[in-house]
Amino acid sequence: MLRATVFVRYREGVDDPEGKHIKKALNLLGFSQVRDVGVAKTYEILLDVDGEEEAEKLVEEMARKLLVNPVIHEYEVQYERV
Amino acid sequence: MLRATVFVRYREGVDDPEGKHIKKALNLLGFSQVRDVGVAKTYEILLDVDGEEEAEKLVEEMARKLLVNPVIHEYEVQYERV
């Protein structure tokens, strides 16, 4: 088994409204040290595969078909044997 | 400046409906190797502070006041100087 951890975040230059709202909320709560907040989503996917090569192919296809919108998102993946 | 990356995920035993739906969707798309999917949220917070100790105190307070619901979430933080 392999665990693929897929981090999906907004591309540089794409508006991140949730991050902006959280920054504003933190500033209003008194956290004046907060300069910027970005929000990303992480998918921890448990895969019944043997090798990392097979997992990489699968995750790339999953990203394309379901998890990632390439117009606004970029993503990176970490693999861990479990 | 420090960047604090806060990973917020469901505690063990807490239902993760979004993860379940994504698992089901991936299985339906033909990815039969997917055994489990967990969804986590990541906040990348840029902090205007000098030391990691100060950042740790601040992030703990932010988590308590806004980012984390301790009944259902657990979280971990990574710090990086930028």
Side-chain angles (χ1 to χ4, degrees), chain B residues 47-65:
Chain B
L47 286 169
D48 190 3
V49 297
D50 290 325
E52 203 167 302
E53 208 175 313
E54 190 186 350
E56 277 178 20
K57 269 189 203 161
L58 283 170
V59 171
E60 197 190 313
E61 212 183 324
M62 288 178 207
R64 195 161 37 79
K65 287 189 173 167

Side-chain angles (χ1 to χ4, degrees), chain B residues 11-62:
Chain B
R11 284 184 183 284
E12 187 98 23
V14 175
D15 212 31
D16 178 355
E18 190 178 355
K20 276 188 188 167
H21 281 291
I22 291 169
K23 176 191 178 290
K24 199 172 161 186
L26 288 171
N27 288 156
L28 286 171
L29 282 170
F31 298 106
S32 58
Q33 307 89 342
V34 174
R35 289 285 173 272
D36 190 42
V37 177
V39 179
K41 209 147 191 183
T42 307
Y43 302 100
E44 295 180 317
I45 303 173
L46 192 63
L47 286 169
D48 190 3
V49 297
D50 290 325
E52 203 167 302
E53 208 175 313
E54 190 186 350
E56 277 178 20
K57 269 189 203 161
L58 283 170
V59 171
E60 197 190 313
E61 212 183 324
M62 288 178 207

